[in-house]
Amino acid sequence: MEYGNSPLFLAIEGSVLKLDPNRTYTMGRDPQSDVVLQETFISWRHVRIYWGATSWALEDPNSTNGTYGLGQRIPLAEAGHAAVFHLGNGDEGPELQFARSPMPPEGADTTSVTRIGPSSDNDLTVDVGTPHGTYVDGHHVERTRLRPDDTVTVGHQ
């Protein structure tokens, strides 16, 4: 079991997603899903992932073709470190891999976007109306690509 609101990462179809325990994630063919899957055997709303009282949970709300863990169709399961599930087909459906580490599986897309701005739906909310600007490693920027060790300062140098 995962105790203490553990961070968890999900790898699916070459991408890695850091799961926020304050959110519920959805996957399916619905374009409004957090992870949109195109396979015809995937249901519109195929699966939900959320932080329960003591662990991460993966729930299949009666999808047509099911969700599989260890080859068995499951309606609800703990989604902790090293858990693996398949959607829609126990052998060949999209694979969900969970891990405590952000290390992506081999060949995964490691490109990540952090949205910064004044809106509360951004990953980092800032007051972009500041007259003092935004700086990366002490250099004033309007727009730039960030590297892992960069220091971002907003409002003053």
Side-chain angles (χ1 to χ4, degrees), residues 26 28-38 44-45:
T26 58
R29 288 194 344 259
D30 182 351
Q32 299 301 311
S33 295
D34 296 296
V35 177
V36 178
L37 302 166
Q38 300 298 323
W44 192 251
R45 292 183 186 94

Side-chain angles (χ1 to χ4, degrees), residues 85-139:
F85 301 94
H86 287 90
L87 304 180
N89 180 305
D91 297 320
E92 299 188 21
E95 183 176 85
L96 301 137
Q97 298 176 349
F98 293 88
R100 284 189 294 262
S101 166
M103 294 302 295
E106 188 173 319
D109 177 6
T110 58
T111 303
S112 171
V113 174
T114 300
R115 296 173 303 171
I116 302 173
S119 175
S120 64
D121 66 344
N122 286 311
D123 298 308
L124 175 62
T125 304
V126 295
D127 177 8
V128 294
T130 177
H132 303 291
T134 301
Y135 296 81
V136 174
D137 293 330
H139 302 283

Side-chain angles (χ1 to χ4, degrees), residues 12-42:
I12 180 168
E13 296 193 335
S15 295
V16 177
L17 178 66
K18 181 179 181 183
L19 301 179
D20 177 349
N22 297 310
R23 291 195 52 201
T24 295
Y25 295 87
T26 58
M27 291 183 197
R29 288 194 344 259
D30 182 351
Q32 299 301 311
S33 295
D34 296 296
V35 177
V36 178
L37 302 166
Q38 300 298 323
E39 291 86 347
T40 57
F41 55 85
I42 298 296

Side-chain angles (χ1 to χ4, degrees), residues 56-75:
W56 285 95
L58 178 134
E59 179 182 15
D60 182 326
N62 293 322
S63 67
T64 302
N65 293 311
T67 299
Y68 296 83
L70 300 174
Q72 301 293 314
R73 188 169 179 160
I74 51 110

